[in-house]
Each structure stands twice: as structure tokens, then as C-alpha cells.
């Protein structure tokens, strides 16, 4: 695996890689886990060459968020990507990505202000900006993102459409720990006690799944069920429990035509997110069925 750190070298190397055929990209902030590796494997199955980027993007963190302390595990990440057979890793520093005096940003107003965008003002401007820059540097035909960041996917789909990027966004299923917790680089912040408490996000979504399976589609009923799971829980602060259109992130009154059911909560001082898409029911990676477990953790 080649590791490059400058934009110029990367542009040249990607141009050469594209001679092999379809180029797939997996943008990450490192601290790689099985969720990221599932994106890499999917990209490898669908593309002729795969590029991964590792860049902890300062512009998507607000003041007081965890930019400084975000887990940085570069050597371990490289070993995982090397073992996975990735062709090229882009690992620029902040000055390489944002030259002094750079003032151009990508805004996705509306969608970018909903769900996590409402709780973390400016977050999706930082995400859209860095992903647009990565797309310009790598020029992949396909880019792979995890469905756990459902609002991020909606924002990036809108950006790709609005700015005419000739790139297909591939949203990949959430990968879960054996007990159901959605994998996240931030899970490592959790104390053993909060690791247990964090299961509440998955439990709330499972409660909704049961209602959906029994035929309930009214969002107000489903939302009440979500809220009741979080009510009175010690050391958990619900940020949002939303039932929305997965493309616009606007609330829907009924889920019969497909909806994103998304939750975000602070568990101690760690903010976690999780979601399900009703269109995909039965949700093979939410219900911990044997087949899925074997496939994911083999
Ligand atoms: O999902 C992430 O890890 C980041 O938001 C991304 C897409 C790599 C942009 O920094």
C-alpha cells in the first residue's frame, strides 16, 4: 500500500490508478474499526482499485468538541488497511488540506441544518467542504460511506447532485458489536459502565422495529415509543429522536412510504448516534440474526 501525504502526489497517483478501471474511495478520519473495513471490502468488491483517506478534519468540529482528543491510531490503521489490500492511502496534515488563507467552504443549507446539523452548527459545512476537496483530489467513480451517519449521507447526496460530481455515493449497512451497539470510533471513549448504558440507542430502535413489524406506521406513536425508552435514564441525555425522510431529513407523519428513524444521545460525555431505515425491514443488521453475525464477525 502506498501512503501519500500531499495533494499533488495524490492527484497524480489517482490518475494512474484510474487506468486500472473503476476507482473507489473510502473517506475516513482514522481510528478504523470493522465498520470502516466493511466499506473497504465493499469498495474492493465493486471497484478495480481502492483509495482510503485518513484525515481528522478540523473544520467539522466546533469549538469545545473533541477535535484535539479524537482518537489518532495511525500505525494501527495502516496495518489494517495494508492487511485489507488497499491500494493507496491519503493521509494529509491539516496545512496540506487547508492552505493558509483558504476561505472557500461548501454549505448545504436546509438539509445541513437538520438532525446532527441542528445540534452541531457548522458541522456539515466542514464535512461537505472536506469531502468536496477529497473528491477533487481523488476523483473516484464511487465513494463509500456508512449508513450510521445517515444525516451525513443525506448532506453528501445533495452536495453531489447540486455540484455535479460524477460520483456514485454508496451507503453501506451499519456494522454492530455482538450486543447491538453500532460501531463508532467514539465508542472507545465510553467507560465500562457507559458502554453498557450506550445500548439504549439500539434498544430504542429495536422497540420501534417491533412496532413496525406489528404494522404500526404512525410517526407520533413510534416517536412516543422511542422517547419512553430514554425517559428517566441515568447519565443519558437524548439529543434527538427523529422520524424523517432519509433524503431531506424533514419529519414524516407516517412511515409507510419509508423513513429514517434516527437517534442521538449523550452517554456521559460521549455523543452517540444510531438509526434504522424502515424501507429495509426486516433490517438484517439490526436484528442480531445468526447469518449476519457470522458474516460480520468472521
Ligand atoms: O464520516 C467521517 O468519518 C467524516 O465525517 C468524513 C466523511 C471522513 C469527513 O471528514
Amino acid at each position: 500500500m502506498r501512503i501519500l501525504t500531499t495533494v499533488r502526489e495524490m492527484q497524480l497517483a489517482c490518475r494512474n490508478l484510474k487506468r486500472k478501471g473503476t476507482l473507489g474511495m473510502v473517506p475516513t478520519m482514522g481510528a478504523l474499526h470493522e465498520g470502516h473495513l466493511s466499506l473497504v471490502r465493499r469498495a474492493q468488491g465493486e471497484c478495480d482499485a481502492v483509495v482510503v483517506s485518513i484525515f481528522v478534519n478540523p473544520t467539522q468540529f466546533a469549538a469545545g468538541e473533541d477535535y484535539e482528543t479524537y482518537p489518532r491510531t495511525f500505525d494501527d490503521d495502516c496495518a489494517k488497511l495494508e492487511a485489507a489490500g488497499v491500494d493507496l492511502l491519503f493521509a494529509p496534515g491539516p496545512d496540506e488540506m487547508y492552505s493558509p488563507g483558504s476561505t472557500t467552504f461548501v454549505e448545504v443549507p436546509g438539509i445541513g441544518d437538520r438532525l446532527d446539523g441542528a445540534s452541531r452548527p457548522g458541522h456539515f459545512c466542514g464535512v461537505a467542504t472536506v469531502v468536496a476537496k477529497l473528491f477533487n483530489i481523488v476523483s473516484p467513480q464511487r465513494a463509500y460511506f456508512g449508513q450510521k451517519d445517515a444525516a451525513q449521507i443525506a448532506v453528501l447526496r445533495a452536495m453531489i447532485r447540486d455540484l455535479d460530481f460524477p460520483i456514485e455515493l454508496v451507503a453501506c449497512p451499519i456494522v454492530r458489536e455482538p450486543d447491538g451497539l453500532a460501531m463508532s470510533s467514539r465508542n472507545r471513549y465510553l467507560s465500562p459502565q457507559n458502554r453498557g448504558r450506550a445500548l439504549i440507542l439500539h434498544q430504542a430502535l429495536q422497540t420501534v422495529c417491533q412496532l413496525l413489524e406489528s404494522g404500526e406506521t404512525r410517526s407520533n406513536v413510534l416517536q412516543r415509543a422511542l422517547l419512553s425508552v430514554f425517559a428517566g435514564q441515568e447519565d443519558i441525555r437524548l439529543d434527538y429522536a427523529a422520524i424523517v425522510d432519509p433524503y431531506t431529513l424533514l419529519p414524516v407523519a407516517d412511515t409507510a412510504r419509508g423513513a429514517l428513524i434516527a437517534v442521538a444521545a449523550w452517554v456521559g460525555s460521549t455523543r452517540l448516534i444510531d438509526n434504522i431505515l424502515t424501507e429495509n425491514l426486516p433490517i438484517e443488521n439490526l436484528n442480531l440474526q445468526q447469518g449476519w453475525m457470522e458474516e460480520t464477525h468472521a
Side-chain angles (χ1 to χ4, degrees):
M1 178 179 74
R2 275 182 86 192
I3 303 176
L4 297 178
T5 57
T6 70
V7 169
R8 191 63 62 226
E9 287 174 307
M10 193 64 193
Q11 280 171 328
L12 275 176
C14 290
R15 209 171 300 154
N16 287 333
L17 263 188
K18 277 175 95 173
R19 295 210 182 98
K20 281 195 183 180
T22 309
L23 183 59
M25 170 167 210
V26 181
T28 82
M29 297 206 301
L32 302 181
H33 50 68
E34 192 52 37
H36 297 109
L37 298 178
S38 76
L39 305 182
V40 168
R41 285 193 292 271
R42 174 85 177 262
Q44 286 171 325
E46 297 178 356
C47 303
D48 299 299
V50 173
V51 169
V52 174
S53 62
I54 295 181
F55 178 60
V56 184
N57 172 35
T59 66
Q60 69 187 75
F61 292 81
E65 288 190 341
D66 56 345
Y67 173 68
E68 303 295 344
T69 54
Y70 194 84
R72 287 161 172 86
T73 56
F74 189 68
D75 292 343
D76 188 46
D77 292 347
C78 286
K80 286 178 177 157
L81 296 175
E82 181 86 58
V86 164
D87 298 272
L88 185 55
L89 170 62
F90 182 43
D95 294 344
E96 181 66 16
M97 282 302 276
Y98 295 103
S99 49
S102 84
T103 54
T104 308
F105 286 88
V106 179
E107 294 270 10
V108 187
I111 299 178
D113 303 320
R114 296 176 191 138
L115 301 192
D116 308 286
S119 320
R120 304 179 65 189
H123 170 65
F124 284 129
C125 174
V127 170
T129 301
V130 81
V131 172
K133 287 165 73 66
L134 290 168
F135 283 176
N136 283 330
I137 295 163
V138 174
S139 284
Q141 279 101 336
R142 297 204 180 104
Y144 294 80
F145 295 90
Q147 176 62 33
K148 184 172 76 67
D149 297 301
Q152 170 168 282
I153 285 179
V155 167
L156 295 176
R157 275 203 181 109
M159 181 192 80
I160 286 172
R161 179 200 61 204
D162 295 349
L163 298 184
D164 304 306
F165 281 105
I167 295 171
E168 181 192 347
L169 186 154
V170 184
C172 303
I174 296 174
V175 178
R176 297 177 181 278
E177 299 288 355
D179 61 5
L181 181 69
M183 289 196 185
S184 162
S185 303
R186 289 188 169 96
N187 288 351
R188 66 185 77 199
Y189 295 154
L190 296 166
S191 65
Q193 202 179 20
N194 283 338
R195 171 66 182 76
R197 289 181 176 129
L199 285 177
I200 192 166
L201 282 85
H202 177 59
Q203 284 158 2
L205 293 172
Q206 274 192 315
T207 302
V208 169
C209 269
Q210 279 159 12
L211 284 170
L212 288 165
E213 277 162 13
S214 73
E216 184 58 73
T217 60
R218 290 166 297 173
S219 295
N220 59 352
V221 176
L222 299 172
Q223 197 171 31
R224 252 199 315 275
L226 275 178
L227 296 178
S228 71
V229 176
F230 285 95
Q233 290 291 330
E234 201 191 325
D235 266 335
I236 310 271
R237 185 159 53 85
L238 184 64
D239 181 353
Y240 62 72
I243 303 182
V244 297
D245 177 292
Y247 292 91
T248 63
L249 305 182
L250 286 169
V252 292
D254 195 284
T255 62
R257 290 172 59 204
L260 168 71
I261 303 184
V263 291
W266 291 90
V267 181
S269 56
T270 305
R271 186 175 178 280
L272 299 177
I273 57 176
D274 200 350
N275 68 80
I276 54 171
L277 279 169
T278 61
E279 288 165 310
N280 288 357
L281 280 176
I283 295 153
E284 78 278 12
N285 64 344
L286 180 70
N287 299 331
L288 300 173
Q289 291 162 357
Q290 200 53 35
W292 172 79
M293 294 282 288
E294 280 164 6
E295 204 178 297
T296 311
H297 295 284

